[in-house]
Amino acid sequence: MGTAKVSNSSSEDQNVSNYNETDVILNVYDLTPLNNYSYWVGFGIFHSGIEVHGKEYGFGAHDFPVSGVFEVEPKSCPGFIYRSSILLGRINLPYSEFREFIENVASEYHGDTYHLISKNCNHFTDDMAQRLIGRHIPGWVNRMARLGSLCSCLLPESLQVTKVKELPEYHEIEDGTESLSTATPGDSTEIDDTDQKHLLSPKDGNSDIAFIKEAQS
């Protein structure tokens, strides 16, 4: 009886450990079909996201002093061309603790702090990799930025929206994730038709992207 009891406890502990374990994966996307040629000589313009616990996390630009970190289904960031996945390592971290971690990270990555050269999507994934597993992403992913090239990881035309000069709001969705919206009622929204920018606000109700609300200090 005692042996069986110990065995069950050990089995339960192992199941919990397995449940908490997750791969850390870098998903890389092409921003242009020209990468098919330049990739082979060590150059290219890439977007990347980091996959943990079955979701992919990325960083992009918008005009507001709030989180620019978003989550999507792995290997399916809208508007980009998926290229490859790189297994960076494996960690033992419960999802609840990871969620707290990513919300804290989001407070350091506001959409209006995005910079093409010094703080782009690949800097974000590199920072995430270092914090989670203590290693960098492959150098070729962000080489163009390091060389000072004007590469952009702003979201593509398919997600372009008119610039709205009002702070966005977060709204609860079914799974408890908070998504970001710039929609406001009536005439309270000022729209400049001549001033457009690629924003992290899905166009026409696109629900492929969910925004990570930053931890409250």
Side-chain angles (χ1 to χ4, degrees):
M1 290 289 290
T3 302
K5 191 171 184 179
V6 171
S7 177
N8 288 339
S9 176
S10 176
S11 176
E12 289 174 2
D13 290 343
Q14 184 63 43
N15 288 337
V16 170
S17 177
N18 291 340
Y19 179 77
N20 291 336
E21 286 187 2
T22 179
D23 290 334
V24 178
I25 301 170
L26 184 74
N27 294 325
V28 183
Y29 300 78
D30 292 325
L31 268 70
T32 169
L34 293 176
N35 281 0
N36 290 327
Y37 305 98
S38 60
Y39 173 79
W40 300 107
V41 293
F43 292 96
I45 305 177
F46 303 101
H47 167 79
S48 65
I50 197 112
E51 181 182 341
V52 184
H53 279 298
K55 287 289 185 179
E56 180 178 316
Y57 299 87
F59 171 58
H62 57 62
D63 286 341
F64 309 111
V66 293
S67 169
V69 177
F70 59 93
E71 68 178 21
V72 296
E73 291 300 316
K75 308 176 186 178
S76 60
C77 191
F80 297 118
I81 306 167
Y82 171 72
R83 168 171 285 275
S84 62
S85 294
I86 302 167
L87 177 62
L88 298 175
R90 190 169 178 82
I91 58 173
N92 191 323
L93 184 69
Y95 175 77
S96 59
E97 293 183 19
F98 173 76
R99 191 69 187 186
E100 181 179 353
F101 163 79
I102 193 66
E103 289 177 357
N104 282 317
V105 171
S107 67
E108 303 173 25
Y109 284 87
H110 289 177
D112 63 346
T113 67
Y114 182 102
H115 191 278
L116 302 176
I117 305 303
S118 62
K119 194 175 183 179
N120 63 34
C121 59
N122 301 318
H123 292 108
F124 167 77
T125 54
D126 186 60
D127 185 26
M128 288 277 287
Q130 290 184 67
R131 297 189 195 198
L132 289 171
I133 60 170
R135 61 178 294 190
H136 292 279
I137 65 173
W140 57 266
V141 176
N142 206 27
R143 182 169 293 145
M144 292 297 283
R146 292 201 307 274
L147 294 175
S149 174
L150 295 179
C151 65
S152 172
C153 288
L154 302 180
L155 290 188
E157 290 292 334
S158 62
L159 294 179
Q160 186 176 18
V161 298
T162 302
K163 182 176 178 181
V164 180
K165 294 184 175 68
E166 186 163 326
L167 282 177
E169 297 177 353
Y170 289 92
H171 302 283
E172 293 288 339
I173 57 179
E174 290 182 0
D175 62 358
T177 306
E178 290 171 310
S179 71
L180 181 63
S181 171
T182 56
T184 53
D187 297 329
S188 62
T189 301
E190 179 187 352
I191 296 177
D192 183 352
D193 293 331
T194 62
D195 186 9
Q196 290 190 331
K197 180 178 182 179
H198 296 96
L199 301 178
L200 281 172
S201 298
K203 184 179 181 181
D204 299 328
N206 189 314
S207 59
D208 292 334
I209 290 180
F211 295 83
I212 306 300
K213 187 175 182 180
E214 63 194 77
Q216 299 300 311
S217 57

